[in-house]
Amino acid sequence: MNQNFQAIVQGTAKDNPSTDQTFLLGGALIFFNVFVMLFVGFYWMNPVMHEFISGRPLL
């Protein structure tokens, strides 16, 4: 059974380009999520940025 498991692991551990794409896409999504969180935080907490984007002062 141990030999079967090792054969399965060796078969799936080869260079798989879809794994690289998964890490790239995951990193891009994390970066985009952090960017959106920072943007929304600055939009609601910084009166100058809020007025520049919306045209109205922050209440």
Side-chain angles (χ1 to χ4, degrees):
M1 182 165 171
N2 193 14
Q3 292 175 349
N4 291 338
F5 180 72
Q6 287 179 350
I8 292 171
V9 170
Q10 287 176 353
T12 59
K14 293 180 182 175
D15 290 333
N16 190 356
S18 65
T19 303
D20 297 336
Q21 289 177 341
T22 303
F23 281 119
L24 184 64
L25 183 62
L29 287 174
I30 290 171
F31 175 77
F32 181 71
N33 189 19
V34 169
F35 173 76
V36 169
M37 288 190 301
L38 288 173
F39 180 81
V40 169
F42 281 124
Y43 177 76
W44 285 112
M45 296 169 65
N46 190 347
V48 176
M49 184 176 172
H50 187 277
E51 189 170 352
F52 177 75
I53 294 173
S54 68
R56 295 181 295 148
L58 187 60
L59 298 176

